[in-house]
Amino acid sequence: MGTLTVNQNKLQKRLRRLAGEAVADFNMIEDGDKVMVCLSGGKDSYTMLDVLLHLQKVAPIKFEIVAVNMDQKQPGFPEHVLPAYLKELGVEYHIVEKDTYSVVKELIPEGKTTCSLCSRLRRGTLYTFADEIGATKMALGHHRDDIVETFFLNMFFNGSLKAMPPKLRADDGRNVVIRPLAYCNEKDIQAYSDLKEFPIIPCNLCGSQENLQRQVVKDMLQDWERKTPGRTESIFRSLQNVIPSQLADRNLFDFTSLKIDETAASRFVNIVNL
């Protein structure tokens, strides 16, 4: 890639700045960390690796980066693409081979969505591998739009207010997941991926799966964004500005003991008869 134009340079700087802010705000990476960067071969994970390699050069702390891809044995998967790319970058990497494709195809009926099971199997394998290589952090490429979409999916279909946190400790305590692109929007990531000409590997297991509820939610948010620019960003900010007393979760706020404050000043004022 040659010299960047003004707009391309702004795009690169914006992604690096937002990722740096997210890393700092949530203390994602600490001195001496070994960060396992999970590469799927998609635009998000390529961008994440690119940004983290830059942060590694300019950060006031020292941390390792090791790239990991999981080969799920999908038919036609181009096994040579990621190794060639990572060798050219000079990045330490591992390819974890696990035939989750056959498991998913066996358990999920034809025509049903495969993403949920596929992601669980992949995540479990990567968690285990991170532990094996002594990785202290496990970086995933989810961005702001992914987080907002997940928030609505959980609200609409699971009856819960939760999303993807920028930093998460696994239930067993053995892994800490970080999402350095949490402040970055998908449009910028797509533009940067196009600019850098990353060797994208499509997910052939899922195909288009037009019945995915995530795609329905994505379309809804994109429609909102067209009608009211900035709405997605506002929704994301709301996830950082939670007021438990204004919701209805009895585990987060003590509604049972709520009563008037006998020591509070009275609102009554003296009325002067004229």
Side-chain angles (χ1 to χ4, degrees):
M1 186 178 66
T3 304
L4 299 181
T5 66
V6 172
N7 286 337
Q8 290 170 342
N9 189 49
K10 285 182 179 179
L11 171 64
Q12 184 177 68
K13 286 184 175 180
R14 182 163 60 251
L15 287 171
R16 289 176 174 179
R17 173 178 57 80
L18 290 172
E21 288 176 1
V23 168
D25 286 351
F26 294 92
N27 194 30
M28 292 186 189
I29 301 175
E30 301 169 85
D31 193 45
D33 267 341
K34 184 173 185 177
V35 181
M36 183 176 114
V37 179
C38 299
L39 286 182
S40 66
K43 68 183 190 310
D44 306 327
S45 58
Y46 276 124
T47 299
M48 176 178 62
L49 175 62
D50 184 276
V51 168
L52 286 178
L53 287 172
H54 170 73
L55 290 179
Q56 187 183 43
K57 294 177 182 177
V58 301
I61 59 172
K62 300 294 183 181
F63 63 93
E64 296 179 55
I65 288 178
V66 55
V68 174
N69 169 256
M70 183 174 164
D71 180 355
Q72 298 176 266
K73 298 305 174 183
Q74 299 164 323
F77 181 77
E79 298 178 359
H80 65 285
V81 172
L82 276 167
Y85 177 77
L86 294 169
K87 284 177 182 177
E88 185 177 351
L89 284 181
V91 175
E92 179 187 351
Y93 73 92
H94 299 275
I95 305 296
V96 180
E97 297 187 9
K98 186 82 168 181
D99 186 6
T100 61
Y101 175 84
S102 297
V103 176
V104 171
K105 298 301 286 185
E106 179 181 348
L107 295 179
I108 303 296
E110 192 68 32
K112 298 293 184 180
T113 57
T114 59
C115 285
S116 179
L117 177 60
C118 180
S119 63
R120 288 201 304 273
L121 293 172
R122 182 172 62 249
R123 189 73 56 85
T125 302
L126 291 173
Y127 274 174
T128 301
F129 189 73
D131 200 19
E132 289 177 2
I133 65 174
T136 52
K137 301 289 170 57
M138 181 173 158
L140 303 180
H142 299 121
H143 46 68
R144 183 203 66 185
D145 300 67
D146 287 326
I147 293 172
V148 173
E149 288 164 16
T150 301
F151 170 70
F152 279 99
L153 283 168
N154 280 314
M155 183 167 58
F156 291 163
F157 303 105
N158 296 329
S160 61
L161 288 180
K162 67 177 184 178
M164 294 174 172
K167 186 178 182 182
L168 172 71
R169 184 171 63 190
D171 292 339
D172 63 3
R174 297 294 300 173
N175 305 96
V176 173
V177 172
I178 60 174
R179 296 181 168 98
L181 301 182
Y183 289 174
C184 302
N185 69 64
E186 185 173 18
K187 184 178 178 180
D188 280 351
I189 292 171
Q190 182 64 68
Y192 192 65
S193 175
D194 294 341
L195 169 66
K196 298 285 285 186
E197 298 181 339
F198 294 133
I200 302 298
I201 301 175
C203 180
N204 295 322
L205 172 60
C206 301
S208 60
Q209 295 203 96
E210 296 176 356
N211 56 334
L212 280 177
Q213 291 298 342
R214 179 172 289 276
Q215 186 60 49
V216 174
V217 171
K218 180 187 286 289
D219 292 342
M220 177 192 75
L221 290 170
Q222 289 177 347
D223 185 54
W224 285 359
E225 191 67 26
R226 283 191 294 270
K227 293 176 180 176
T228 311
R231 178 170 287 186
T232 305
E233 177 61 29
S234 179
I235 295 170
F236 180 79
R237 286 202 308 273
S238 75
L239 299 179
Q240 301 173 283
N241 188 27
V242 178
I243 307 173
S245 65
Q246 306 302 301
L247 298 174
D249 191 329
R250 290 172 291 164
N251 294 317
L252 293 181
F253 189 79
D254 184 10
F255 293 99
T256 303
S257 302
L258 203 61
K259 59 183 179 181
I260 65 171
D261 183 355
E262 299 287 353
T263 65
S266 174
R267 289 200 188 95
F268 293 114
V269 296
N270 292 324
I271 300 177
V272 180
N273 291 324
L274 299 178

